[in-house]
């Protein structure tokens, strides 16, 4: 016995920022951003919106839809690259807001975080240690980006997506990797005010865009093929490919490699940009709400991110 996803929920900052609006702030254009990435809008946090508030809203919806009591949750895993505090974890902030006292911790596998969280949750449920686990992916990319660097800040968005998982047998395959190319995508912390080392200011997100693009295209393809081979499936056997929404061109290249029709590769990158580990559960939530995923639907989830990490999962919806 492993897990199945019982429910999902999402929460986005109220402000949607268009490419045209960004073009009034920096030397860019809707034409460049849309044609190179597929992005039209992203939600950006403003006012008192923070990761804890977004996470609680997404979690609240997921818990309500799962029709469980808050006290039934026996573990909280948050996937985030940077919570509201260095410590305590975002998961502990969510636990406090929900009023639960279960184990709660954050994990950082960058954009692959949701699949890493699913794998951990699957192990806790399959050993009987947990019955209901709340997974929350929450990212505030607008805090991490250098808003003077047009080559990165236009790509990302903020948001949160949650799911409640319980006992089931949905996961047929899951594989996690990390390749140790830490210089392709990173953000450095500062040195603090220690008198024992030179002062270094904290940095902003830095990305070697083309190298990340090449990594994604080759690695997503390779990991997808491994998953299909392991289950003795062909690309045609998968109903929906739910890929990390980083760039529409990366998704299109995976689709071309697998020779699959466009409708099997749903996207929402046009409305939300790259929300890191949130992209996959955000898309799952939308597809579930639209009735596109039903009992028996075969899904292949695939993500890549800083590290460089990847996560690949095949599940049959229960
Ligand atoms: O989840 C995290 C993973 N991240 C990713 O998956 C990102 C992967 N990489 C990419 O998606 C693409 O590499 C980018 C979208 C980041 C960049 O697209 P590209 O086709 O590789 O463009 P480029 O970096 O080669 O830049 C082409 C030109 C440059 O100008 P010159 O040197 O040719 O004159 C850039 O300065 O585009 C320029 N440029 C821009 N122009 C207008 C870069 N950013 C912008 C911009 N607006 N925002």
């Amino acid at each position: 016995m492993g897990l199945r996803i019982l429910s999902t929920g999402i929460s986005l900052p109220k402000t949607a920022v268009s490419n045209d609006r960004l073009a009034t702030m920096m030397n860019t254009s809707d034409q460049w951003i849309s044609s190179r990435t597929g992005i039209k809008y992203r939600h950006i946090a403003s006012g008192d919106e923070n990761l804890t508030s977004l996470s609680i809203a997404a979690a609240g919806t997921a818990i309500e839809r799962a029709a469980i009591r808050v006290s039934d949750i026996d573990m909280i895993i948050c996937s985030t690259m940077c919570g509201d505090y260095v410590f305590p974890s975002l998961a502990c902030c969510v636990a406090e807001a929900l009023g639960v006292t279960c184990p709660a911790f954050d994990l950082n596998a960058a954009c692959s975080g949701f699949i890493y969280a699913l794998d951990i949750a699957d192990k806790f449920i399959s050993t009987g240690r947990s019955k209901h686990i709340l997974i929350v992916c929450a990212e505030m990319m607008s805090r991490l980006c250098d808003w003077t660097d047009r080559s990165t800040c236009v790509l990302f968005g903020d948001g949160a997506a949650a799911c409640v998982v319980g006992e089931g047998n949905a996961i047929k395959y899951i594989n996690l990797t990390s390749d140790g190319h830490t210089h392709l995508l990173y953000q450095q912390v500062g040195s603090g005010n220690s008198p024992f080392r030179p002062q270094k200011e904290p940095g902003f997100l830095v990305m070697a865009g083309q190298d990340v693009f090449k990594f994604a295209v080759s690695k997503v393809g390779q990991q997808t093929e491994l998953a299909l081979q392991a289950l003795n499936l062909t690309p045609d056997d998968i109903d929906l490919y739910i890929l990390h929404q980083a760039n529409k061109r990366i998704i299109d290249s995976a689709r071309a490699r697998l020779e699959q029709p466009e409708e099997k590769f749903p996207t929402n990158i046009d409305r939300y940009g790259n929300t890191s580990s949130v992209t996959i559960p955000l898309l799952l939530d939308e597809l579930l709400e639209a009735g596109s995923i039903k009992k028996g639907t075969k899904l292949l989830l695939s993500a890549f991110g800083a590290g460089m990490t990847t996560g690949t999962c095949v599940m049959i919806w229960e």
Side-chain angles (χ1 to χ4, degrees), residues 26-29 32-33 36-37 111 150-152 154-156 185 207-210 212-213 216 244 246-247 249-250 274 276 304-306 308:
M26 64 190 80
N27 182 14
T28 191
S29 63
W32 191 95
I33 303 171
R36 303 260 177 164
T37 69
C111 306
R150 67 175 183 172
S151 70
T152 52
V154 303
L155 306 173
F156 296 98
L185 182 51
M207 180 169 72
Q210 291 193 356
V212 173
F213 193 99
H244 173 43
N247 187 324
R249 290 188 292 139
I250 296 174
N274 179 348
S276 186
F304 65 92
M308 297 295 288

Side-chain angles (χ1 to χ4, degrees), residues 160-231:
C163 68
V164 175
V165 301
E167 287 177 345
N169 199 20
I171 294 183
K172 305 303 173 197
Y173 173 93
I174 194 156
N175 192 39
L176 311 177
T177 71
S178 76
D179 275 18
H181 299 303
T182 54
H183 56 288
L184 295 185
L185 182 51
Y186 64 89
Q187 176 162 1
Q188 217 151 19
V189 293
S191 54
N193 66 352
S194 161
F196 299 102
R197 52 180 11 179
Q199 295 296 302
K200 195 173 64 189
E201 290 299 312
F204 287 113
L205 181 152
V206 177
M207 180 169 72
Q210 291 193 356
D211 292 327
V212 173
F213 193 99
K214 283 180 207 146
F215 172 90
V217 166
S218 77
K219 202 70 185 194
V220 166
Q222 187 194 90
Q223 288 297 315
T224 302
E225 279 162 12
L226 275 178
L228 296 174
Q229 273 164 24
L231 296 173

Side-chain angles (χ1 to χ4, degrees), residues 39-305:
I39 300 166
K40 286 273 184 194
Y41 294 87
R42 72 287 291 141
H43 287 247
I44 301 290
S46 60
D48 56 6
E49 289 171 327
N50 60 26
L51 282 173
T52 306
S53 62
L54 292 176
S55 298
I56 294 164
T61 306
I63 293 166
E64 196 184 315
R65 288 181 181 161
I68 59 164
R69 289 169 306 202
V70 169
S71 57
D72 292 331
I73 295 168
D74 42 28
M75 177 172 284
I76 300 175
I77 307 174
C78 283
S79 162
T80 186
M81 289 196 286
C82 180
D84 286 331
Y85 301 95
V86 174
F87 57 85
S89 67
L90 179 60
C92 287
C93 297
V94 172
E96 179 184 43
L98 293 177
V100 292
T101 56
C102 60
F105 61 94
D106 289 358
L107 73 81
N108 178 356
C111 306
S112 308
F114 179 63
I115 298 175
Y116 272 64
L118 271 184
D119 201 9
I120 295 168
D122 190 51
K123 302 303 170 282
F124 270 92
I125 289 183
S126 61
T127 56
R129 288 280 301 279
S130 308
K131 280 215 170 339
H132 295 100
I133 298 180
L134 173 67
I135 297 174
V136 184
C137 298
E139 308 280 5
M140 205 153 277
M141 303 305 294
S142 62
R143 280 204 295 229
L144 312 181
C145 285
D146 177 354
W147 283 89
T148 65
D149 177 7
R150 67 175 183 172
S151 70
T152 52
C153 70
V154 303
L155 306 173
F156 296 98
D158 302 334
C163 68
V164 175
V165 301
E167 287 177 345
N169 199 20
I171 294 183
K172 305 303 173 197
Y173 173 93
I174 194 156
N175 192 39
L176 311 177
T177 71
S178 76
D179 275 18
H181 299 303
T182 54
H183 56 288
L184 295 185
L185 182 51
Y186 64 89
Q187 176 162 1
Q188 217 151 19
V189 293
S191 54
N193 66 352
S194 161
F196 299 102
R197 52 180 11 179
Q199 295 296 302
K200 195 173 64 189
E201 290 299 312
F204 287 113
L205 181 152
V206 177
M207 180 169 72
Q210 291 193 356
D211 292 327
V212 173
F213 193 99
K214 283 180 207 146
F215 172 90
V217 166
S218 77
K219 202 70 185 194
V220 166
Q222 187 194 90
Q223 288 297 315
T224 302
E225 279 162 12
L226 275 178
L228 296 174
Q229 273 164 24
L231 296 173
N232 210 12
L233 297 175
T234 70
D236 293 351
D237 294 325
I238 299 293
D239 297 312
L240 289 174
Y241 290 86
I242 318 276
L243 303 195
H244 173 43
Q245 306 281 298
N247 187 324
K248 177 77 164 55
R249 290 188 292 139
I250 296 174
I251 298 167
D252 287 343
S253 114
R255 184 170 69 75
R257 180 167 169 157
L258 295 165
E259 299 179 338
Q260 293 296 298
E262 185 124 22
E263 59 271 20
K264 281 192 168 189
F265 284 71
T267 62
N268 58 11
I269 188 172
D270 55 331
R271 283 171 288 132
Y272 305 121
N274 179 348
T275 53
S276 186
S277 68
V278 180
T279 69
I280 289 181
L282 178 58
L283 187 52
L284 267 179
D285 180 271
E286 290 195 337
L287 293 166
L288 284 162
E289 284 301 287
S292 309
I293 299 176
K294 302 184 178 66
K295 196 166 181 263
T297 304
K298 262 199 202 90
L299 305 173
L300 188 145
L301 319 183
S302 168
F304 65 92

